Amino acid sequence: MPQLDFLGLPWDIRLMVYSTLLVSSSPIDVWPATTLCGLGSPAQSVPHSMIWDVSLGLLRCNSTIASEAAAVFYGNNTFCIHGDDRDYGLVIHWLKQIGVQNRSFLRRLEMRIWMPLKAWQQYDGSRTDGVGVNHAFPCHPHLVAPSMPCPAGAVDVIDPLVEDIIALVSKSGGRKLKLFLKLGPTDFNIVPGVIGPGQLGPGEIGTGRVRPRIIQGPEAWLSMDLPNLIEKWRAEYTLDGRLRHVNILWTTKTDKTFFLGEKDFIEHLGWQILEEQEDKWYWPTNIPTGCPGKPSNVSLVLKRKKLTTTLAADNPFGFRRLRHIQN
Protein backbone atom coordinates (compact mmCIF):
# COMPACT_ATOMS: atom_id res chain seq x y z
CA MET A 1 0.00 0.00 0.00
CA PRO A 2 1.60 3.28 -1.06
CA GLN A 3 2.48 5.73 1.72
CA LEU A 4 0.15 8.72 1.91
CA ASP A 5 1.93 12.07 2.21
CA PHE A 6 0.46 15.31 3.59
CA LEU A 7 -0.53 16.69 0.19
CA GLY A 8 -2.36 13.45 -0.51
CA LEU A 9 -4.82 14.21 2.29
CA PRO A 10 -8.17 15.80 1.37
CA TRP A 11 -8.17 19.62 1.36
CA ASP A 12 -10.54 19.90 4.30
CA ILE A 13 -8.17 17.81 6.43
CA ARG A 14 -5.15 19.92 5.40
CA LEU A 15 -7.15 23.08 6.13
CA MET A 16 -7.92 21.76 9.60
CA VAL A 17 -4.21 21.18 10.21
CA TYR A 18 -3.27 24.64 8.92
CA SER A 19 -5.94 26.32 11.05
CA THR A 20 -4.87 24.47 14.18
CA LEU A 21 -1.18 25.29 13.75
CA LEU A 22 -1.22 28.73 12.12
CA VAL A 23 -4.15 30.70 13.58
CA SER A 24 -3.19 32.60 16.73
CA SER A 25 -5.58 32.96 19.64
CA SER A 26 -4.69 36.66 19.89
CA PRO A 27 -3.58 39.42 17.47
CA ILE A 28 -0.03 39.09 16.18
CA ASP A 29 2.09 42.12 17.04
CA VAL A 30 4.65 43.29 14.51
CA TRP A 31 7.53 45.19 16.11
CA PRO A 32 10.85 46.48 14.69
CA ALA A 33 12.70 43.80 16.60
CA THR A 34 13.52 40.12 15.97
CA THR A 35 14.11 38.80 12.46
CA LEU A 36 12.41 35.59 11.42
CA CYS A 37 13.95 34.08 8.31
CA GLY A 38 12.55 31.54 5.93
CA LEU A 39 10.11 31.03 3.10
CA GLY A 40 6.87 32.90 3.61
CA SER A 41 8.00 34.29 6.96
CA PRO A 42 5.20 36.49 8.34
CA ALA A 43 6.96 39.71 9.17
CA GLN A 44 10.69 39.17 9.49
CA SER A 45 10.28 41.50 12.44
CA VAL A 46 7.92 39.69 14.80
CA PRO A 47 9.39 38.67 18.18
CA HIS A 48 9.02 34.94 18.80
CA SER A 49 7.25 35.63 22.10
CA MET A 50 4.40 37.37 20.28
CA ILE A 51 3.52 34.30 18.17
CA TRP A 52 4.32 31.45 20.52
CA ASP A 53 1.11 29.57 19.63
CA VAL A 54 1.79 29.53 15.88
CA SER A 55 3.92 26.91 14.08
CA LEU A 56 5.80 28.87 11.44
CA GLY A 57 7.60 25.80 10.13
CA LEU A 58 4.78 25.14 7.69
CA LEU A 59 5.65 28.41 5.96
CA ARG A 60 9.09 27.00 5.16
CA CYS A 61 8.01 23.71 3.57
CA ASN A 62 7.85 23.04 -0.15
CA SER A 63 6.20 25.69 -2.31
CA THR A 64 2.77 24.03 -2.38
CA ILE A 65 2.45 23.61 1.38
CA ALA A 66 3.99 27.03 2.02
CA SER A 67 1.48 28.68 -0.33
CA GLU A 68 -1.49 26.92 1.25
CA ALA A 69 -0.21 27.66 4.75
CA ALA A 70 0.44 31.32 3.96
CA ALA A 71 -3.14 31.78 2.76
CA VAL A 72 -4.42 30.51 6.12
CA PHE A 73 -1.80 32.35 8.21
CA TYR A 74 -2.28 35.79 6.66
CA GLY A 75 -5.99 35.38 6.01
CA ASN A 76 -7.09 34.22 9.46
CA ASN A 77 -4.92 36.27 11.83
CA THR A 78 -5.09 39.89 12.91
CA PHE A 79 -1.78 41.74 12.48
CA CYS A 80 -1.07 44.80 14.63
CA ILE A 81 1.83 46.83 13.29
CA HIS A 82 3.72 48.95 15.81
CA GLY A 83 6.38 51.52 15.07
CA ASP A 84 8.26 54.45 16.46
CA ASP A 85 6.67 57.86 16.88
CA ARG A 86 5.38 59.14 13.52
CA ASP A 87 7.42 56.55 11.63
CA TYR A 88 5.42 54.61 9.07
CA GLY A 89 8.56 52.96 7.71
CA LEU A 90 7.93 49.67 9.52
CA VAL A 91 4.47 49.35 7.98
CA ILE A 92 5.89 49.93 4.50
CA HIS A 93 8.78 47.54 5.16
CA TRP A 94 6.52 44.73 6.40
CA LEU A 95 3.95 45.06 3.63
CA LYS A 96 6.65 44.99 0.97
CA GLN A 97 8.57 42.14 2.58
CA ILE A 98 5.63 39.72 2.78
CA GLY A 99 5.03 40.23 -0.93
CA VAL A 100 2.03 40.90 -3.16
CA GLN A 101 0.51 37.43 -2.81
CA ASN A 102 0.58 37.45 0.99
CA ARG A 103 -0.77 41.01 1.06
CA SER A 104 -3.72 39.78 -0.98
CA PHE A 105 -4.46 37.16 1.71
CA LEU A 106 -4.72 39.75 4.51
CA ARG A 107 -8.18 40.21 6.00
CA ARG A 108 -7.57 42.19 9.19
CA LEU A 109 -4.78 44.69 9.74
CA GLU A 110 -4.32 47.25 12.53
CA MET A 111 -1.89 50.16 12.56
CA ARG A 112 -1.36 53.32 14.55
CA ILE A 113 -2.15 56.71 13.06
CA TRP A 114 0.17 59.23 14.65
CA MET A 115 -0.83 62.81 15.27
CA PRO A 116 0.65 64.78 12.35
CA LEU A 117 3.21 67.47 13.02
CA LYS A 118 2.05 71.01 12.39
CA ALA A 119 3.20 73.65 9.94
CA TRP A 120 2.06 77.27 9.84
CA GLN A 121 -0.09 78.36 6.92
CA GLN A 122 0.32 81.98 5.85
CA TYR A 123 -2.40 84.19 4.42
CA ASP A 124 -1.04 83.60 0.91
CA GLY A 125 -1.39 79.83 1.32
CA SER A 126 2.34 79.16 1.72
CA ARG A 127 3.54 77.04 4.60
CA THR A 128 6.50 77.45 6.92
CA ASP A 129 8.15 74.85 9.09
CA GLY A 130 6.66 74.30 12.53
CA VAL A 131 7.87 72.63 15.71
CA GLY A 132 9.62 69.38 14.79
CA VAL A 133 8.94 69.93 11.08
CA ASN A 134 11.95 70.19 8.80
CA HIS A 135 9.92 70.16 5.62
CA ALA A 136 6.39 71.54 5.45
CA PHE A 137 4.77 69.57 2.63
CA PRO A 138 2.47 71.76 0.52
CA CYS A 139 -1.26 71.24 0.50
CA HIS A 140 -1.98 67.90 -1.20
CA PRO A 141 -3.18 68.30 -4.82
CA HIS A 142 -6.35 66.34 -3.98
CA LEU A 143 -7.30 69.10 -1.53
CA VAL A 144 -8.67 72.34 -2.88
CA ALA A 145 -6.99 75.19 -1.02
CA PRO A 146 -9.17 77.98 0.38
CA SER A 147 -9.58 81.09 -1.73
CA MET A 148 -7.24 84.01 -1.08
CA PRO A 149 -6.63 85.32 1.41
CA CYS A 150 -6.23 81.97 3.18
CA PRO A 151 -7.01 81.73 6.86
CA ALA A 152 -3.73 81.56 8.79
CA GLY A 153 -2.98 79.02 11.48
CA ALA A 154 -1.60 75.58 12.26
CA VAL A 155 -2.22 72.88 9.63
CA ASP A 156 -1.46 69.16 9.55
CA VAL A 157 1.67 67.99 7.72
CA ILE A 158 0.50 64.82 5.94
CA ASP A 159 3.21 62.16 5.66
CA PRO A 160 3.35 60.88 2.03
CA LEU A 161 4.08 57.37 3.37
CA VAL A 162 0.45 57.05 4.46
CA GLU A 163 -0.59 57.11 0.80
CA ASP A 164 2.01 54.42 0.03
CA ILE A 165 0.46 52.18 2.71
CA ILE A 166 -3.04 52.57 1.29
CA ALA A 167 -1.69 51.84 -2.19
CA LEU A 168 0.13 48.68 -1.06
CA VAL A 169 -2.89 47.09 0.60
CA SER A 170 -5.32 48.20 -2.11
CA LYS A 171 -3.52 47.49 -5.38
CA SER A 172 -2.55 43.95 -4.34
CA GLY A 173 -6.13 42.81 -4.94
CA GLY A 174 -7.40 39.74 -3.13
CA ARG A 175 -9.72 39.18 -0.21
CA LYS A 176 -11.79 41.76 1.60
CA LEU A 177 -9.63 43.65 4.07
CA LYS A 178 -10.51 45.50 7.25
CA LEU A 179 -7.89 48.13 7.99
CA PHE A 180 -8.17 49.58 11.50
CA LEU A 181 -6.48 52.94 12.03
CA LYS A 182 -5.98 53.42 15.75
CA LEU A 183 -5.84 56.81 17.43
CA GLY A 184 -4.47 56.39 20.93
CA PRO A 185 -3.94 55.46 23.64
CA THR A 186 -1.90 58.66 24.12
CA ASP A 187 -4.08 60.59 21.66
CA PHE A 188 -7.08 60.36 23.96
CA ASN A 189 -10.01 62.68 23.19
CA ILE A 190 -9.04 62.92 19.52
CA VAL A 191 -11.93 62.78 17.07
CA PRO A 192 -10.75 63.94 13.63
CA GLY A 193 -12.26 67.27 12.72
CA VAL A 194 -13.52 68.02 16.24
CA ILE A 195 -11.79 70.10 18.89
CA GLY A 196 -11.79 67.94 22.02
CA PRO A 197 -12.31 68.80 25.68
CA GLY A 198 -9.46 69.58 28.05
CA GLN A 199 -8.12 67.34 30.79
CA LEU A 200 -8.22 67.76 34.54
CA GLY A 201 -5.07 69.41 35.82
CA PRO A 202 -2.71 67.91 38.43
CA GLY A 203 -4.36 67.49 41.80
CA GLU A 204 -7.89 68.01 40.46
CA ILE A 205 -8.96 64.36 40.52
CA GLY A 206 -11.36 63.73 43.37
CA THR A 207 -11.90 67.39 44.17
CA GLY A 208 -15.47 67.46 42.91
CA ARG A 209 -14.65 69.79 40.03
CA VAL A 210 -16.63 69.31 36.85
CA ARG A 211 -14.40 68.32 33.96
CA PRO A 212 -13.51 71.60 32.24
CA ARG A 213 -14.32 71.94 28.57
CA ILE A 214 -11.09 73.65 27.67
CA ILE A 215 -10.12 74.07 24.04
CA GLN A 216 -6.95 72.11 23.38
CA GLY A 217 -3.93 73.43 21.51
CA PRO A 218 -3.07 72.57 17.89
CA GLU A 219 -0.82 69.68 18.96
CA ALA A 220 -3.98 67.81 20.04
CA TRP A 221 -5.94 68.73 16.92
CA LEU A 222 -6.38 66.38 13.96
CA SER A 223 -8.07 67.98 10.99
CA MET A 224 -10.23 66.16 8.43
CA ASP A 225 -7.47 66.41 5.81
CA LEU A 226 -5.94 63.00 6.58
CA PRO A 227 -9.26 61.06 6.84
CA ASN A 228 -10.48 62.71 3.63
CA LEU A 229 -7.28 61.88 1.77
CA ILE A 230 -7.24 58.28 3.00
CA GLU A 231 -10.80 57.78 1.76
CA LYS A 232 -9.83 59.38 -1.57
CA TRP A 233 -6.79 57.08 -1.89
CA ARG A 234 -8.85 54.02 -0.95
CA ALA A 235 -11.38 54.74 -3.70
CA GLU A 236 -8.65 55.42 -6.27
CA TYR A 237 -6.33 52.49 -5.56
CA THR A 238 -9.12 49.91 -5.20
CA LEU A 239 -10.86 51.27 -8.31
CA ASP A 240 -13.74 52.10 -5.96
CA GLY A 241 -13.84 48.54 -4.64
CA ARG A 242 -13.58 46.73 -7.97
CA LEU A 243 -9.93 45.74 -7.50
CA ARG A 244 -10.23 44.97 -3.79
CA HIS A 245 -12.75 45.77 -1.09
CA VAL A 246 -10.90 47.65 1.65
CA ASN A 247 -12.94 48.76 4.65
CA ILE A 248 -11.07 51.46 6.59
CA LEU A 249 -12.19 51.95 10.18
CA TRP A 250 -10.94 54.52 12.69
CA THR A 251 -10.84 53.71 16.42
CA THR A 252 -10.49 56.23 19.24
CA LYS A 253 -11.65 57.03 22.77
CA THR A 254 -13.11 60.21 24.14
CA ASP A 255 -15.11 61.63 27.03
CA LYS A 256 -18.71 60.41 26.97
CA THR A 257 -20.27 63.78 27.80
CA PHE A 258 -18.18 65.48 25.12
CA PHE A 259 -19.12 62.82 22.57
CA LEU A 260 -22.85 63.08 23.23
CA GLY A 261 -22.67 66.85 22.83
CA GLU A 262 -20.73 66.64 19.56
CA LYS A 263 -22.32 63.53 18.03
CA ASP A 264 -24.41 65.41 15.47
CA PHE A 265 -21.41 67.53 14.49
CA ILE A 266 -19.23 64.40 14.09
CA GLU A 267 -21.78 62.91 11.70
CA HIS A 268 -22.09 66.26 9.90
CA LEU A 269 -18.35 66.13 9.17
CA GLY A 270 -18.86 62.91 7.21
CA TRP A 271 -18.27 60.26 9.87
CA GLN A 272 -20.41 57.17 10.18
CA ILE A 273 -20.45 56.04 13.82
CA LEU A 274 -20.41 52.24 13.69
CA GLU A 275 -19.79 51.46 17.36
CA GLU A 276 -19.88 53.35 20.63
CA GLN A 277 -19.05 51.42 23.79
CA GLU A 278 -18.95 52.99 27.23
CA ASP A 279 -16.38 52.06 29.83
CA LYS A 280 -15.26 53.57 33.13
CA TRP A 281 -12.02 55.40 33.72
CA TYR A 282 -9.69 54.40 36.50
CA TRP A 283 -10.77 56.39 39.55
CA PRO A 284 -9.06 56.58 42.97
CA THR A 285 -10.75 54.76 45.85
CA ASN A 286 -10.32 57.67 48.27
CA ILE A 287 -12.87 59.96 46.60
CA PRO A 288 -14.00 62.74 48.96
CA THR A 289 -17.61 62.75 50.13
CA GLY A 290 -19.87 64.63 47.75
CA CYS A 291 -17.67 64.07 44.70
CA PRO A 292 -19.67 63.44 41.51
CA GLY A 293 -19.89 59.92 40.19
CA LYS A 294 -17.10 58.33 38.22
CA PRO A 295 -16.77 59.86 34.78
CA SER A 296 -16.80 57.57 31.78
CA ASN A 297 -15.41 57.53 28.31
CA VAL A 298 -16.60 55.91 25.13
CA SER A 299 -14.70 53.79 22.63
CA LEU A 300 -15.63 54.66 19.06
CA VAL A 301 -15.36 52.93 15.72
CA LEU A 302 -15.78 55.46 12.92
CA LYS A 303 -15.92 55.15 9.14
CA ARG A 304 -15.47 57.99 6.70
CA LYS A 305 -18.44 58.09 4.38
CA LYS A 306 -17.83 57.89 0.66
CA LEU A 307 -16.76 61.18 -0.83
CA THR A 308 -19.36 62.83 -3.02
CA THR A 309 -17.92 66.31 -3.49
CA THR A 310 -14.60 67.97 -4.23
CA LEU A 311 -12.28 67.83 -1.22
CA ALA A 312 -11.63 71.18 0.39
CA ALA A 313 -8.63 71.60 2.66
CA ASP A 314 -9.69 71.90 6.27
CA ASN A 315 -9.29 75.27 7.95
CA PRO A 316 -6.21 75.81 10.13
CA PHE A 317 -6.52 75.24 13.85
CA GLY A 318 -6.68 78.90 14.85
CA PHE A 319 -9.47 79.72 12.39
CA ARG A 320 -11.38 76.49 13.07
CA ARG A 321 -11.15 77.13 16.81
CA LEU A 322 -13.00 80.43 16.54
CA ARG A 323 -15.71 78.96 14.29
CA HIS A 324 -16.18 76.00 16.62
CA ILE A 325 -16.61 78.26 19.66
CA GLN A 326 -19.12 80.41 17.81
CA ASN A 327 -21.10 77.33 16.74
Side-chain angles (χ1 to χ4, degrees):
M1 181 176 180
Q3 186 176 1
L4 182 65
D5 62 10
F6 181 71
L7 290 176
L9 296 172
W11 164 244
D12 57 342
I13 301 297
R14 300 202 306 275
L15 178 60
M16 187 182 304
V17 173
Y18 292 139
S19 300
T20 301
L21 298 178
L22 290 171
V23 179
S24 176
S25 58
S26 58
I28 295 177
D29 292 305
V30 181
W31 295 87
T34 308
T35 297
L36 298 176
C37 301
L39 177 64
S41 179
Q44 283 76 24
S45 57
V46 184
H48 292 275
S49 60
M50 296 297 176
I51 50 174
W52 60 272
D53 58 345
V54 172
S55 300
L56 295 177
L58 285 171
L59 298 173
R60 305 185 182 97
C61 293
N62 65 56
S63 58
T64 302
I65 294 177
S67 178
E68 292 181 348
V72 174
F73 177 75
Y74 289 103
N76 293 277
N77 285 304
T78 297
F79 295 91
C80 303
I81 308 181
H82 305 268
D84 297 326
D85 188 17
R86 296 185 177 89
D87 180 10
Y88 295 103
L90 173 65
V91 186
I92 297 289
H93 173 74
W94 186 77
L95 290 172
K96 287 183 176 180
Q97 198 161 29
I98 66 174
V100 175
Q101 183 179 29
N102 290 334
R103 288 200 302 271
S104 71
F105 294 146
L106 291 170
R107 288 182 176 175
R108 189 179 176 98
L109 184 64
E110 298 180 2
M111 59 172 281
R112 173 74 186 275
I113 286 291
W114 302 97
M115 288 295 293
L117 295 173
K118 307 297 179 185
W120 187 263
Q121 179 172 279
Q122 307 288 355
Y123 290 107
D124 62 359
S126 63
R127 297 182 175 189
T128 58
D129 298 348
V131 178
V133 179
N134 296 321
H135 176 64
F137 297 104
C139 186
H140 194 280
H142 281 328
L143 298 174
V144 178
S147 58
M148 298 297 174
C150 292
V155 292
D156 290 338
V157 177
I158 307 300
D159 192 330
L161 290 181
V162 179
E163 181 177 1
D164 295 340
I165 293 170
I166 303 301
L168 282 170
V169 299
S170 300
K171 295 168 69 175
S172 59
R175 300 172 175 176
K176 292 182 179 180
L177 171 67
K178 280 189 176 181
L179 174 59
F180 287 85
L181 305 179
K182 303 180 69 175
L183 290 168
T186 57
D187 296 334
F188 181 78
N189 272 334
I190 300 300
V191 177
V194 184
I195 298 174
Q199 301 288 337
L200 285 174
E204 292 180 328
I205 293 180
T207 62
R209 281 196 57 183
V210 178
R211 285 180 56 79
R213 198 168 185 278
I214 302 170
I215 299 299
Q216 295 176 329
E219 69 282 350
W221 154 253
L222 177 60
S223 74
M224 285 298 294
D225 286 350
L226 183 57
N228 287 341
L229 285 172
I230 287 178
E231 172 57 21
K232 180 73 172 180
W233 296 329
R234 182 208 62 79
E236 282 191 352
Y237 290 120
T238 64
L239 300 180
D240 205 18
R242 294 191 298 275
L243 183 61
R244 185 181 196 180
H245 182 83
V246 178
N247 194 14
I248 299 180
L249 305 175
W250 295 69
T251 64
T252 188
K253 288 187 177 183
T254 191
D255 175 74
K256 179 184 175 182
T257 303
F258 161 74
F259 167 69
L260 292 177
E262 301 290 346
K263 187 173 181 179
D264 290 343
F265 182 64
I266 292 171
E267 293 176 330
H268 172 74
L269 288 173
W271 289 112
Q272 182 182 358
I273 303 172
L274 301 181
E275 295 180 23
E276 48 183 281
Q277 182 176 353
E278 181 183 0
D279 55 357
K280 298 293 184 180
W281 290 339
Y282 164 76
W283 198 249
T285 57
N286 57 340
I287 301 176
T289 304
C291 181
K294 296 180 180 180
S296 61
N297 61 20
V298 60
S299 298
L300 301 175
V301 178
L302 308 173
K303 181 179 179 180
R304 182 65 176 90
K305 297 175 184 177
K306 287 188 176 182
L307 303 174
T308 57
T309 59
T310 303
L311 287 182
D314 207 346
N315 286 313
F317 173 79
F319 184 76
R320 182 61 170 269
R321 175 180 184 273
L322 294 176
R323 283 191 57 189
H324 191 77
I325 293 174
Q326 291 168 357
N327 292 337

